[in-house]
């Protein structure tokens, strides 16, 4: 998204705020999610996100046109893939320490690079290929201690959680490609709104699988989680109005720092050395890809500026 007014500091602050609010969402889900159906969590997260999004659209004067779409099938497809990704993510979140879940989720942009090459025929240069391989190696380092214990009864839940988060990252990368197609004809606000709506509807299909009764504390936590999810989406969208993607994107990785702090004080989780090593590798690969994309973007812009018009 092109910035409407260059103000990188404001953009960075909004991005960091979005990271903090997304973390608050994840924390509420982790606090409430033990023993709950994942589909139930997904419904609350999606449905109650709609309200801050509608308020935001009303504030921007876009509410009347937000529901107009040229690709209802595209919106539904993106919603279905996104809600399955979200469900896998929440399944893993309640079974792994918060920082581990955050770090594995960093694999999503790495998978998106691979899928962009496969489905969109984007050219993969040696730098990006190397960065993706290194980054996925970092994900394996984080996940392997859990995956290697899948046959042990006490650790099978952690192993399943790690596999669910990897599956979530893969599906999330596919959803990112679907969004890239949608933005060619749809407004960002329309995509965000339709995702929350379709995710809410799709999650209701999990009711026959069983939604256990919740305590008042669990209900409140999930309502807050949903509201935080919508608010964080708004803050993230606003951040890209004030600075380029290459400026904003690296601050996504501040979530691991906040996650480590929250996880230690709320859940008593002490990070393992292998988790920290893997996370450092994944972040390095992600930042390098962002740097390369920014550099290539500047080079392409410079080339267009110096091309002599034909005619």
């Amino acid at each position: 998204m092109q910035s409407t007014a260059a103000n990188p500091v404001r953009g960075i602050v909004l991005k960091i705020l979005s990271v903090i609010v997304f973390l608050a969402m994840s924390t509420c889900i982790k606090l409430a999610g033990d023993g709950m159906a994942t589909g139930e969590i997904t419904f609350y997260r999606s449905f109650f996100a709609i309200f801050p999004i509608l308020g935001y659209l009303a504030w921007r004067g876009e509410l009347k046109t937000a529901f107009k779409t040229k690709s209802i099938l595209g919106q539904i497809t993106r919603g279905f893939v996104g809600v399955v990704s979200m469900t896998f993510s929440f399944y893993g979140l309640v079974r792994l320490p918060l920082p581990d879940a955050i770090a594995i989720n960093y694999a999503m942009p790495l998978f998106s690079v691979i899928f962009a090459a496969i489905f969109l025929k984007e050219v993969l240069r040696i730098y990006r290929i190397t960065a993706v391989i290194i980054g996925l190696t970092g994900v394996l380092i984080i996940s392997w201690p859990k995956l290697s214990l899948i046959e042990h009864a006490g650790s099978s839940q952690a192993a399943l959680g790690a596999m669910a988060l990897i599956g979530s990252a893969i599906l999330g990368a596919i959803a990112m490609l679907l969004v890239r197609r949608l933005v060619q004809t749809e407004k960002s606000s329309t995509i965000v709104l339709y995702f929350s709506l379709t995710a809410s509807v799709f999650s209701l299909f999990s009711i026959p699988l069983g939604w256990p009764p919740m305590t008042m504390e669990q209900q409140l936590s999930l309502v807050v989680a949903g509201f935080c999810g919508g608010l964080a989406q708004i803050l993230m969208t606003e951040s890209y109005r004030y600075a380029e993607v290459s400026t904003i994107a690296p601050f996504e990785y501040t979530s691991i720092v906040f996650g480590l702090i929250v996880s230690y004080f709320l859940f008593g989780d002490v990070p393992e050395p292998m988790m920290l090593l893997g996370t450092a590798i994944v972040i390095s690969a992600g930042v390098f890809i962002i740097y390369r994309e920014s550099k290539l973007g500047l080079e392409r812009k410079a080339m267009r500026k110096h091309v002599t018009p034909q005619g």
Side-chain angles (χ1 to χ4, degrees), residues 236-277:
M236 184 176 67
T237 301
E238 282 293 304
S239 72
Y240 289 110
R241 294 183 186 277
Y242 297 100
E244 298 294 333
V245 172
S246 57
T247 302
I248 297 294
F251 289 90
E252 176 68 32
Y253 297 112
T254 59
S255 60
I256 196 64
V257 178
F258 297 129
L260 286 168
I261 295 170
V262 170
S263 188
Y264 178 77
F265 285 104
L266 278 185
F267 306 106
D269 295 325
V270 179
E272 301 171 355
M274 293 297 284
M275 176 268 168
L276 294 175
L277 173 63

Side-chain angles (χ1 to χ4, degrees), residues 110 131 133-139 141-142 274-287:
L110 301 176
I133 292 172
I134 292 172
L136 292 178
T137 301
V139 173
I141 290 172
I142 299 166
M274 293 297 284
M275 176 268 168
L276 294 175
L277 173 63
T279 301
I281 292 173
V282 175
I283 291 176
S284 298
V287 170

Side-chain angles (χ1 to χ4, degrees), residues 119-199:
F119 299 112
L120 303 182
K121 308 302 180 184
E122 291 187 2
V123 178
L124 272 185
R125 295 178 175 83
I126 188 64
Y127 293 107
R128 278 203 290 178
I129 293 173
T130 304
V132 168
I133 292 172
I134 292 172
L136 292 178
T137 301
V139 173
L140 185 60
I141 290 172
I142 299 166
S143 307
W144 187 252
K146 287 86 178 171
L147 298 176
S148 62
L149 296 173
I150 191 168
E151 295 182 356
H152 293 69
S155 302
S156 60
Q157 290 298 307
L160 291 172
M163 288 191 290
L165 285 163
I166 293 171
S168 172
I170 292 171
L171 290 169
I174 295 172
M176 288 172 67
L177 297 190
L178 294 173
V179 169
R180 287 176 62 177
R181 289 183 177 178
L182 283 172
V183 294
Q184 296 175 10
T185 59
E186 309 289 311
K187 295 188 299 183
S188 297
S189 56
T190 301
I191 296 171
V192 170
L193 182 57
Y194 268 93
F195 172 66
S196 291
L197 290 170
T198 54

Side-chain angles (χ1 to χ4, degrees), residues 299-309:
E299 289 174 358
R300 285 192 290 266
K301 189 181 293 185
M303 287 177 65
R304 287 196 297 269
K305 189 179 292 186
H306 290 91
V307 167
T308 303

